Amino acid sequence: GRGENRLLKVEARALNRLVHEGAVGHLVDLSYTRGEKKQTRPVLIKEIQRDPVRGHLLHVDFHAVAMDEPVTTMVPVVLTGEGRRVSDGGIIQHGIRELEISCLPVHIPEHIEVDVSGLKLGESLKVGDLKVSKEIQILTPPEDVVVSVVAPAKAGEAEALAEEAAEAGGGEAKAEE
């Protein structure tokens, strides 16, 4: 039924393997026995909690889904084509590493690939520039930067400037009269 929570005991080994293989945010078939009946239903692995000391899984949220209703989930962004990019000395800066999407459970992609081979120095790709299949709706704001190509000096300068600004901390900067 809708919205009822059930506590399930699951085999840790199988679950660890799934989590390790990147199943969080993806659809898996959960089989369980209820009384005499064995049931299987599609679920999204929503959230995991690990023991902070030992690192083993303490808790996993399975989210039962209806195959005909869109779900909202996060998928990783994978950059491709770095090797084919013009060598203009630019450094690839990966901004957003995950996108929030909405689609039917069957259309949830493993990841969303972003080809950076055509990017030149000073250029960037925003969420709105990404091409995904029409079944997928991206919920992440379109103006968010996924990847940009910056000059090595600029990357360093920007950090140095940020540090200087932090150190100055709005100190006594008086203009000479």
Side-chain angles (χ1 to χ4, degrees):
R2 275 250 170 270
E4 59 179 288
N5 280 333
R6 288 206 198 107
L7 268 167
L8 299 169
K9 266 178 124 160
V10 280
E11 195 197 326
R13 259 211 327 266
L15 196 56
N16 265 315
R17 195 182 68 235
L18 273 175
V19 169
H20 184 70
E21 287 169 2
V24 176
H26 293 290
L27 209 57
V28 292
D29 280 327
L30 181 66
S31 297
Y32 57 96
T33 313
R34 199 171 176 198
E36 299 291 298
K37 285 204 333 240
K38 197 171 163 107
Q39 299 187 334
T40 300
R41 60 189 313 179
V43 295
L44 266 180
I45 297 182
K46 271 293 196 193
E47 221 176 295
I48 59 170
Q49 288 169 10
R50 291 185 181 279
D51 179 312
V53 181
R54 295 207 172 125
H56 56 246
L57 290 169
L58 292 176
H59 172 88
V60 176
D61 271 353
F62 293 113
H63 187 79
V65 294
M67 296 308 283
D68 56 353
E69 288 178 20
V71 291
T72 299
T73 187
M74 302 296 286
V75 289
V77 171
V78 174
L79 302 184
T80 64
E82 287 189 58
R84 297 194 310 276
R85 215 180 64 72
V86 191
S87 55
D88 51 13
I91 294 172
I92 296 273
Q93 274 195 337
H94 198 160
I96 297 178
R97 291 177 186 273
E98 279 191 320
L99 291 171
E100 188 178 15
I101 63 160
S102 171
C103 62
L104 291 176
V106 294
H107 296 308
I108 298 173
E110 288 275 308
H111 54 260
I112 289 178
E113 280 191 9
V114 177
D115 184 359
V116 297
S117 60
L119 278 187
K120 297 182 185 63
L121 191 59
E123 292 183 338
S124 62
L125 279 176
K126 297 192 167 87
V127 172
D129 302 324
L130 303 183
K131 301 200 179 4
V132 291
S133 70
K134 60 181 185 302
E135 291 89 3
I136 297 171
Q137 185 192 355
I138 298 179
L139 303 177
T140 305
E143 65 276 7
D144 286 10
V145 174
V146 180
V147 60
S148 49
V149 182
V150 296
K154 283 254 166 50
E157 271 169 37
E159 279 164 30
L161 283 172
E163 276 170 31
E164 278 171 35
E167 280 168 26
E172 308 295 305
K174 286 199 183 72
E176 296 295 316
E177 306 268 317

